[in-house]
Amino acid sequence: MSLLLDEIALATTRLAEAGVPSPRADAEELAAFVHRVRRSELHLVPDGAFDALFWEGIARRAAREPLQHITGRAFFRYLELAVGPGVFVPRPETEVVAGWAISALQEMDVASPVVVDLGTGSGAIALSIAQEVPLARVHAVEIDPDAYDWAKRNIREHGQGRVRLHPADLADCLPELAGRVDLVISNPPYIPPDAIPRDPEVRDYDPARALYGSGDDGLGEVRAVEDTARRLLRPGGFAVVEHADTQGTDVYWLFPEDSGWRDMSNHKDLTGRGRFVTARFGQE
C-alpha cells in the first residue's frame, strides 16, 4: 500500500471518529486538493508523496469546518465553484431542483428563454442553467454583499456574458422584466427561526441570512418569491422553489389557483424527501 493510501485510511478513521458524515470521500477530496488532482486521479500521485497540508486539512475537517471552506471549492452539477465564508455552500439536493428547471427550459418552445434566479448565493443555479441551456438569458439576484461578491467571482469565471447579476432584493427586483420571464427559480432561506440545524457545518458556518426565513414558519421569503414570480412570469411560465423536507404541503398552498397558478406539483430529491414545488402561471 502506498504512503498516500495509508494516510487516507488513517484520515478516514479520524474523520469517522469525529462524526463527519462521509469520512472516506472527504479524506480523498482533501488529498486530491493538496496534490492538485481530482479524486479520480489520486492514483496518479507518485508513490511516497506526502504533504503536511493534508493533515492540517484533516484537523480542520475533524473540527467540522465544511470541506468546501477548506478547499475553497464546491462541485455543483458540471461546475466547480468558488465558495467560502459569507456564502451558502450549494448542496447536492439543489442539483435536482436545477435539473428540473433545465429540463423544463429545454422542452419550452422558446428560442431564448428568460430566467430569473432569486437569491442566487454562489450563483450555482444560475450558472448551471446558463451552461446547460446556452441560449437562455439568465438574471441572478442577490442582496447580501458577501454572497454577491462570491456570485460575481463565479460568474466572471464561468458565466461571463451569459449571466447578469443584480444587487437587489428578491421581493421587488427587476420591474423591467414584468410579464416577460419564462422561469423563476429560487432556493430561498426557509428554516424557521427556532429550528436550529443539527449539523455544525450548517449551523456554525453557513450565513444565517441564507438559512433562516422570516415569520414563525420560516416561509416569509417563499411568500415573497411567489409574489415576485407572479409579477415577472409570462402566462405559461414556471416557478420552481426549494423548501425543507417537511414543508412541501405548506409551500404547495402558497401557490393557489385563485392567484393564477396552475399545475402545482411537489417533487422529491434523490433521497426520496420532499424538496421543491413547481407551478405554472396562468394560461398559455
Side-chain angles (χ1 to χ4, degrees), residues 11 34 67:
V34 167
L67 173 68

Side-chain angles (χ1 to χ4, degrees), residues 51-73:
D51 193 318
L53 288 175
F54 174 66
W55 281 102
E56 179 184 321
I58 291 297
R60 292 169 65 184
R61 188 69 188 100
R64 305 303 293 271
E65 184 176 350
L67 173 68
Q68 297 85 353
H69 283 204
I70 301 169
T71 64
R73 63 189 186 187

Side-chain angles (χ1 to χ4, degrees), residues 93-150:
E93 53 265 31
T94 304
E95 295 185 41
V96 179
V97 183
W100 190 96
I102 288 164
S103 295
L105 290 165
Q106 291 170 338
E107 293 171 4
M108 284 183 184
D109 188 19
V110 179
S112 184
V114 179
V115 180
V116 173
D117 176 19
L118 297 174
T120 196
S122 65
I125 292 174
L127 286 166
S128 290
I129 290 173
Q131 182 184 66
E132 298 178 55
V133 189
L135 295 180
R137 291 171 287 166
V138 183
H139 297 264
V141 174
E142 180 56 62
I143 193 172
D144 182 81
D146 291 332
Y148 181 91
D149 287 344
W150 285 105

Side-chain angles (χ1 to χ4, degrees), residues 2 19 32 46-47 49 51 53 55 61 70 119 138 142 145 147 176-177 193 200 211 238-240 254 258 260 271:
S2 72
D47 190 40
D51 193 318
L53 288 175
W55 281 102
R61 188 69 188 100
I70 301 169
V138 183
E142 180 56 62
E176 68 276 15
L177 293 181
L211 294 177
F238 282 100
V240 186
L254 294 181
D258 59 10
T271 68

Side-chain angles (χ1 to χ4, degrees), residues 185-196:
I185 187 167
S186 184
N187 179 16
Y190 48 68
I191 298 175
D194 60 351
I196 307 300

Side-chain angles (χ1 to χ4, degrees), residues 244-262:
D245 55 11
T246 59
Q247 294 174 323
T249 300
D250 293 334
V251 173
Y252 178 96
W253 289 110
L254 294 181
F255 291 82
E257 288 189 3
D258 59 10
S259 291
W261 296 106
R262 304 289 183 269

